[in-house]
């Protein structure tokens, strides 16, 4: 393998190809190295290629041009993916919930339910997370895109089907809505009788399915 | 010795090219004059003059150095070269230093000329050290000049992938909050006993018509009204009084601040 | 002499540093290689550096960051047209040296060493070259800005750390990095007379001229 006295030409070729911005032909190398002998350069290239063969970097010839490149089995090192965990924002959680309870649903419908505009990025996040898919277009003027949940969504939330989502009445019974309800009651406090009528939406949704 | 060197300096000439290189000294006196712009100030000039003494900076003769500097300034003036003020200030200071050094010891002031000379020497040593360091630094193997990085590295790419997280509880609660937030809100306004401005106007103007005397505002209020109606009646009657005063049907008097308001009809 | 079975981590480090566009710290390498053990990476780096030492390409450490570069003795082969390295003016060169040897240092301190005012542009050139950075402010009246060198400076001049600055040990030992006042007091304190202390500067000065 590579000798202890790496010979001068071999070192020169090694350094030149390392620093080169383009793959180089033997002739170009020879010219660059002060009209060195082509045969000697070929010999040096062969030695170098053999030396690098087991290493993390290879010296390769393509179309008569030589260059260094990362060993093919290590190519995965050049492009790594790093995963990091992030909590879904509140807005995205709400949009996801609306899609889950109402699907299939258009963006305009989501917005009318939420009472606020929905940023494009919010839906993108849900699509990227693979919890929401585009389920086609609503056959109304403008043919808006409609969204629905994915099997991955059910998986992630441990739901056998969308019917497992609790209805509003159940939510209230389990106290899930209390923080908001308290605030609401405080506002309406004096006259207990005026609280808005119970919503029967959930049943309707169930019928939708 | 310094005299000789000075003579030598006068005779040779040229060598401007050296000036490009840091740390080099001109070897010609003419160059010295012509390259005035090349000096980085009087200390720089002094340093180069000191170097001409060909000894360690710690062993230079300050007196000889002063003479060289003053001589240089004289020549520049003789050649009518314009010297920057700081060169002249340095010349004056060196002349003073020289005369002090030549005075008998006991007449010396504080700080002593020896101290001043030593401090000058120390400054020259420091500047000399830095100039030498700069030269050695520049002579190192520099990237892009002596050593080269990989010409075309593949580059490392790290794709960040987000693993989104949300739990069942947050999802369901989120939905509940949307429903609660967007539920239709009903505003209820309770029926309260009030006296409108209109009825107050009627009431006040008709009561004023009865007499020409002053009447206190309170007397216009309904006698047995409940407190909330009374408050409303007071406010409306007050506004009615202002309105009547504005259109010239009544006048208002108040004897002191927060005192009782009194009203009287104006007879046209 | 590289072993026939170059071990996996060593190959990975080699490939990563070859492909990297920037010098990398051990921690960055470890993170890139999937949280590899730092000690193992240091070991691999040492092995690689030794392996490359006689070759045309060297593995070097600058300011704790590692990169490959061509062997300095091959400069004569590779030196390109000088446009790659812009020449610094003499003033800028001196200011850079003063910052490097004295850092952190204020402009006033630079000027007191040079005995001349420093043009604003001179420091700008060094800041723009990314060799000098503003390192904060000195907590004295006026709170002057202080300057220090950057990792890029060490990189460019092939210095592993500031300890590698040519002659810095001698300069420090002989007090040439101390302010004039300190040096004067030291001289007055130590020795009665005018004989300066021993030093090793003479030869160096002679070499320059």
């Amino acid at each position: 393998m590579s000798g202890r006295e790496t010979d001068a030409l071999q070192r020169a070729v090694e350094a030149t190809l390392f620093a080169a911005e383009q793959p180089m032909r033997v002739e170009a190398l020879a010219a660059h190295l002060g009209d060195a002998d082509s045969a000697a350069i070929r010999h040096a290239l062969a030695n170098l290629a053999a030396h690098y063969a087991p290493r993390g970097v290879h010296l390769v010839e393509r179309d008569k041009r030589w260059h260094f490149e990362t060993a093919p089995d290590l190519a995965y090192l050049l492009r790594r993916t790093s995963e990091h965990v992030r909590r879904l924002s509140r807005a995205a959680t709400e949009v996801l919930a609306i899609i889950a309870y109402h699907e299939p649903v258009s963006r305009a419908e989501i917005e009318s339910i939420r009472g606020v505009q929905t940023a494009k990025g919010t839906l993108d996040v849900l699509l990227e997370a693979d919890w929401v898919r585009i389920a086609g277009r609503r056959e109304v003027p403008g043919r808006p895109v409609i969204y629905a949940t994915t099997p991955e969504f059910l998986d992630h939330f441990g739901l056998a089907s969308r019917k497992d989502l609790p209805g509003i009445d159940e939510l209230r019974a389990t106290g899930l809505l209390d923080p908001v309800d308290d605030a609401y009651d405080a506002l309406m406090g004096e006259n207990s009788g005026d609280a808005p009528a119970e919503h029967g939406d959930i049943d309707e949704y169930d019928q939708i399915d | 010795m310094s005299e000789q060197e000075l003579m030598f300096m006068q005779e040779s000439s040229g060598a401007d090219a050296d000036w490009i290189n840091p740390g080099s000294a001109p070897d010609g006196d003419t160059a010295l004059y012509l390259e005035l712009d090349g000096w980085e100030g009087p200390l720089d000039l002094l340093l180069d003059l000191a170097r001409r003494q060909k000894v360690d900076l710690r062993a230079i003769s300050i007196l000889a150095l002063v003479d060289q500097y003053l001589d240089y300034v004289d020549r520049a003036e003789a050649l009518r070269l314009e010297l920057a003020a700081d060169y002249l200030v340095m010349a004056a200071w060196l002349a003073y230093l020289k005369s002090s050094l030549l005075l008998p010891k006991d007449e010396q002031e504080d700080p002593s000329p020896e101290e001043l000379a030593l401090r000058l020497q120390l400054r020259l040593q420091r500047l000399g050290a830095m100039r030498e360091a700069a030269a050695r630094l520049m002579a190192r193997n520099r990237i892009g000049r002596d050593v080269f990085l990989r010409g075309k590295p593949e580059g490392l790419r790290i794709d960040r992938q987000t693993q989104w997280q949300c739990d069942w509880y947050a999802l369901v609660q989120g939905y509940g909050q949307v429903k609660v937030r967007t539920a239709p809100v009903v505003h209820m306004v309770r029926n309260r006993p009030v006296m409108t401005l209109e009825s107050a106007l009627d009431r006040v103007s008709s009561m004023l018509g009865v007499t020409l005397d002053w009447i206190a505002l309170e007397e216009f209020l309904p006698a047995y009204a409940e407190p909330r109606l009374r408050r409303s009646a007071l406010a409306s009657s007050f506004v009615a009084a202002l309105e009547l005063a504005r259109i010239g049907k009544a006048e208002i008097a108040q004897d002191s601040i927060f005192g009782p308001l009194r009203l009287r009809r104006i007879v046209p």
Side-chain angles (χ1 to χ4, degrees), chain A residues 52-79:
Chain A
Y52 277 99
R55 305 195 65 83
V57 170
H58 287 178
L59 179 61
V60 294
E61 180 185 14
R62 296 226 199 298
D63 195 21
K64 299 192 195 276
R65 289 167 213 271
W66 292 80
H67 72 272
F68 280 110
E69 64 178 31
T70 309
D73 64 310
L74 296 176
Y76 73 94
L77 288 174
L78 302 184
R79 202 182 148 173

Side-chain angles (χ1 to χ4, degrees), chain A:
Chain A
M1 305 262 32
S2 89
R4 206 176 281 255
E5 320 80 6
T6 319
D7 86 311
L9 183 62
Q10 199 171 307
R11 290 183 76 236
V13 170
E14 188 179 26
T16 304
L17 284 177
F18 172 85
E21 279 159 16
Q22 309 272 333
M24 289 178 85
R25 303 174 80 99
V26 171
E27 301 77 47
L29 275 166
H32 187 84
L33 299 174
D35 285 322
D37 178 41
S38 288
I41 287 183
R42 269 179 236 282
H43 184 70
L45 284 166
N47 276 351
L48 281 169
H51 169 83
Y52 277 99
R55 305 195 65 83
V57 170
H58 287 178
L59 179 61
V60 294
E61 180 185 14
R62 296 226 199 298
D63 195 21
K64 299 192 195 276
R65 289 167 213 271
W66 292 80
H67 72 272
F68 280 110
E69 64 178 31
T70 309
D73 64 310
L74 296 176
Y76 73 94
L77 288 174
L78 302 184
R79 202 182 148 173
R80 292 204 77 105
T81 52
S82 80
E83 285 208 338
H84 60 128
V85 174
R86 272 183 69 185
R87 262 198 98 69
L88 213 54
S89 72
R90 197 178 136 184
T93 306
E94 285 184 9
V95 171
L96 179 62
I98 290 168
I99 295 174
Y101 275 90
H102 294 250
E103 79 175 41
V105 65
S106 72
R107 182 159 160 185
E109 288 156 1
I110 295 171
E111 290 178 350
S112 94
I113 294 169
R114 283 189 72 215
V116 281
Q117 288 220 326
T118 299
K120 175 84 171 61
T122 307
L123 274 164
D124 289 344
V125 161
L126 297 174
L127 289 163
E128 184 202 312
D130 226 3
W131 288 338
V132 163
R133 66 192 163 89
I134 290 173
R137 288 178 182 277
R138 173 103 60 227
E139 288 307 333
V140 295
R143 303 188 69 240
V145 163
I146 46 178
Y147 299 90
T149 54
T150 61
E152 287 74 17
F153 163 81
L154 293 176
D155 259 8
H156 182 90
F157 290 92
L159 299 168
S161 82
R162 280 184 48 252
K163 300 206 172 174
D164 289 353
L165 286 169
I168 280 290
D169 292 340
E170 295 166 72
L171 297 186
R172 206 181 296 276
T174 52
L176 268 171
L177 301 185
D178 282 351
V180 186
D181 268 356
D182 287 348
Y184 192 76
D185 289 344
L187 276 177
M188 305 302 295
E190 293 148 26
N191 37 0
S192 48
D194 297 335
E198 289 292 311
H199 294 286
D201 304 341
I202 298 303
D203 300 302
E204 288 158 27
Y205 296 138
D206 283 346
Q207 283 155 16
I208 285 178
D209 287 324

Side-chain angles (χ1 to χ4, degrees), chain B residues 202-244:
Chain B
D202 285 350
R203 189 180 168 85
V204 170
S205 37
S206 62
M207 285 175 76
L208 274 180
V210 175
T211 172
L212 281 174
D213 292 339
W214 289 99
I215 306 174
L217 187 63
E218 281 76 17
E219 291 179 38
F220 292 99
L221 308 184
Y224 301 105
E226 59 149 320
R228 284 201 291 181
L229 175 61
R230 203 175 157 77
R231 236 174 34 215
S232 167
L234 178 62
S236 302
S237 302
F238 174 62
V239 175
L242 290 176
E243 178 62 17
L244 290 171

